[in-house]
Amino acid sequence: MFLIEALGVLLVLAGMPFFLAGTLGLLRFPDVYTRLHALTKADNLGLGLVVLGLALQASSWQAAAKLLLIWVLVLLASATACHIVARSALHRGLKPWNRKEQ
Amino acid sequence: MIEFAMDITLVISLLWLAWLLLAAQDMFKAIILFIIFGLFMALVWARLNAPDVALAEAAIGSGLSGALLLASLRRSGESGAGNEQRAGGLEPGSGITPGSATLNITHRLLTVLIIGLAGTLVWAAWVMPPQHSGLTEQVTARMQRSGVSNPVTAVLLNFRGYDTLLEIGVLLLALICVRSLGALPQFLTLRPPGMVLMAFTRLLVPFMVLVAGYLLWAGAHAPGGAFQGGAVLAAAGVLLLLADIGLLQSCPERLLRALAALGFTVFLLVASMMLQASGQILNYTPARAGAWILLIESAALISIALILVLLFSGGRFEKGRVPAQERDPVQ
C-alpha cells in the first residue's frame, strides 16, 4: 500500500517539470510554432504523469478511470487546438522561426 | 495554510486579470483575457463550494461568451477595411478625445461613485453577522416537499420556479430580437475547417451529448441541471458549426423554431395547469414534483442549448456550404 502511494507521489512530482518547461517555453520561445510545441509537451506528458500518479492514489477504480478519461480527452483537445492555432498562424503568413535568418 | 495561500493567489489573479482585460488596447487580447478571467472565476466558485455556478461560469461565462465575442470581433473586423486589421481600442479621432472637459467631470463623478459603492460593499460585508445563513434554513426545512434532493435545483425549479420561467422567457425573447435584426454576414466561408477539426468534432459531439444528458439527470440530486447541461449541448452545437458539419443547417426552420420555444412553452403549460388545479402558479404536489421538474428541465435543456447556438451563429443557421475550390489546400 505504502509503495503504491509513494509511486503515485513520485509520478505526480515527475509530471511537474513538464509544466514548468512548457510554461518557460511559452514565455521564452521565439515564435508561435515553437511555443505550441512546448505547450503540448506539458499537456500530454506532464498531465499524463500527474493523472497516472493521482489514479494510483484514487479511492476506487471508477475514480481512476475518470482521471484517465480526462487525460484522453485533454490529449485529443490539446492536439486539435494546437493544430488549429498553427494552421491559422500559417494562413496569416507567419513564417516559422529560423535560426539562420536571425 | 495552503488553502489560504491558494485563495489569496486566486483573488489577486482575478483582480489582476480584470485590470489587464479592461486596460487591453487590442480587442482580441481583451477577449482572450476575458476567457481566462471566466476560467479563474469558475475556480473561485468551485473554491466557494458552489459547483453549480462553477459549471455554468466555465461553460457559459467563459466558453460560450468567449466564442460569441470572438465571432462578433471577426464579423465586425471583416465588415471593415480588411481581414488583417483588428477592431482595436480607440483610434485617434474616431471617438471622444480623452482630454475634453465633460469627460473629465464624468470620470471624476464615476470615480466617486465607484469608491462609494466599493465602500458600501466593504461595510456591508463587515457588519454582516458571521453566522448568517440567509435562506438556507427555510430551504432545508422544505426539501422533503421539493421532489429533488439538490437544494439548488429545488430553489430554481420549485421554490422560485417563477424566476426560472421568466429567465427562459428572456432567453427566447433575446433570440427573437436577434433574429429580427436580419441576416448577418457569413463568417465560416473565409477559413474552411480542416480535417482535424472535423474528425475531432465527430469524436467529441456524442460525448458532449452524453454529458449534457447526465448533467440534466444529475441535477435532481447533485450539481447540474438544465442550464449546465444546455451549455454543454450548446458547446457541441458550436463545434458542429465551426467544423462545418451540416447537421444543424439541415434542420427544417419550423422544427428549429418549435424546439427553441419548447422549454418556455412546456414550462408555461405546466405552470398554468398548476394554476388551474391549485390556484397557485407552479405549486406542484410533493409526490409528483420530481417528475414535473424533470419534464420542465428536459424541455428547457433543448431550448437553452438551441437558443445559445442560434445566438452564436447570428439567429439563423446559414445554409450553403463552402464551395470546393475555396477549400483550403493546407490540411
Side-chain angles (χ1 to χ4, degrees), chain A residues 66 69 73 76-81 83-84 87-93, chain B residues 83-84 86 191-197 200 203-204 207 328-331:
Chain A
K66 272 183 207 163
L69 185 66
L73 288 175
L76 271 175
S78 83
T80 310
H83 168 81
I84 292 170
R87 193 165 162 271
S88 162
L90 208 60
H91 267 270
R92 285 185 174 243
Chain B
N83 298 330
E84 289 308 306
R86 288 192 198 125
R191 195 169 300 152
M195 280 158 74
V196 174
L197 181 60
F200 174 69
L203 259 173
L204 208 65
F207 255 118
D328 161 38
V330 187
Q331 287 293 352

Side-chain angles (χ1 to χ4, degrees), chain B residues 112-137:
Chain B
V112 171
L113 276 176
I114 289 170
I115 290 174
L117 181 67
T120 317
L121 281 176
V122 168
W123 175 77
W126 195 262
V127 298
M128 204 159 68
Q131 294 302 319
H132 187 64
S133 60
L135 293 170
T136 315
E137 280 163 29

Side-chain angles (χ1 to χ4, degrees), chain A residues 27-44:
Chain A
L27 294 172
R28 300 295 302 161
F29 275 179
D31 74 343
V32 160
Y33 309 102
T34 46
R35 285 177 189 176
L36 282 173
H37 170 80
L39 264 189
T40 44
K41 291 297 155 296
D43 277 357
N44 298 353

Side-chain angles (χ1 to χ4, degrees), chain B:
Chain B
M1 188 59 214
I2 287 178
E3 288 192 345
F4 181 71
M6 195 177 139
D7 290 348
I8 289 291
T9 316
L10 271 179
V11 169
I12 292 173
S13 313
L14 209 58
L15 287 172
W16 184 58
L17 275 171
W19 171 251
L20 277 184
L21 121 77
L22 287 175
Q25 287 288 311
D26 184 41
M27 281 291 185
F28 182 72
K29 197 176 164 189
I31 293 173
I32 299 299
L33 282 167
F34 175 80
I35 294 172
I36 301 171
F37 178 84
L39 290 175
F40 267 81
M41 200 68 202
L43 274 181
V44 170
W45 285 120
R47 276 292 298 146
L48 288 171
N49 281 328
D52 294 84
V53 195
L55 268 172
E57 178 70 43
I60 302 182
S62 180
L64 269 173
S65 308
L68 196 62
L69 286 172
L70 281 174
S72 334
L73 176 67
R74 198 154 170 199
R75 280 194 170 115
S76 59
E78 274 160 16
S79 61
N83 298 330
E84 289 308 306
Q85 191 200 351
R86 288 192 198 125
L90 276 180
E91 281 165 40
S94 68
I96 320 155
T97 42
S100 65
T102 39
L103 200 69
N104 254 336
I105 294 168
T106 326
H107 267 183
R108 275 181 200 160
L109 213 67
L110 270 177
T111 314
V112 171
L113 276 176
I114 289 170
I115 290 174
L117 181 67
T120 317
L121 281 176
V122 168
W123 175 77
W126 195 262
V127 298
M128 204 159 68
Q131 294 302 319
H132 187 64
S133 60
L135 293 170
T136 315
E137 280 163 29
Q138 279 102 311
V139 170
T140 16
R142 287 164 183 77
M143 275 310 288
Q144 287 294 322
R145 306 182 50 216
S146 69
V148 288
S149 59
N150 179 21
V152 178
T153 308
V155 171
L156 282 183
L157 267 304
N158 198 337
F159 306 146
R160 302 293 302 170
Y162 185 59
D163 297 0
T164 312
L165 171 69
L166 291 184
E167 266 169 35
I168 292 174
V170 165
L171 258 182
L172 186 62
L173 197 64
L175 178 67
I176 295 171
C177 290
V178 168
R179 282 178 67 105
S180 68
L181 291 174
L184 282 166
Q186 232 169 324
F187 68 99
L188 284 171
T189 44
L190 273 175
R191 195 169 300 152
M195 280 158 74
V196 174
L197 181 60
M198 286 173 117
F200 174 69
T201 306
R202 279 168 207 263
L203 259 173
L204 208 65
V205 164
F207 255 118
M208 295 173 93
V209 173
L210 190 70
V211 170
Y214 169 74
L215 281 173
L216 174 76
W217 181 251
H221 54 84
F227 281 91
Q228 284 82 355
V232 172
L233 204 57
V238 169
L239 260 182
L240 280 177
L241 284 182
L242 288 179
D244 199 22
I245 296 171
L247 189 69
L248 293 172
Q249 287 93 329
S250 65
C251 271
E253 176 70 18
R254 277 169 192 280
L255 180 68
L256 286 180
R257 288 188 193 189
L259 287 179
L262 182 72
F264 190 59
T265 317
V266 168
F267 212 148
L268 208 59
L269 274 178
V270 173
S272 33
M273 273 169 59
M274 301 292 161
L275 197 62
Q276 279 288 321
S278 69
Q280 268 180 312
I281 198 162
L282 286 172
N283 182 15
Y284 319 106
T285 44
R288 292 273 175 82
W292 285 121
I293 288 176
L294 189 64
L295 174 73
I296 293 172
E297 285 215 296
S298 308
L301 172 94
I302 295 170
S303 292
I304 289 168
L306 188 63
I307 291 172
L308 290 176
V309 182
L310 277 167
L311 287 177
F312 171 77
S313 74
R316 286 173 181 77
F317 297 132
E318 289 133 352
K319 296 218 166 58
R321 295 166 65 98
V322 188
Q325 67 268 22
E326 279 180 37
R327 286 227 173 239
D328 161 38
V330 187
Q331 287 293 352

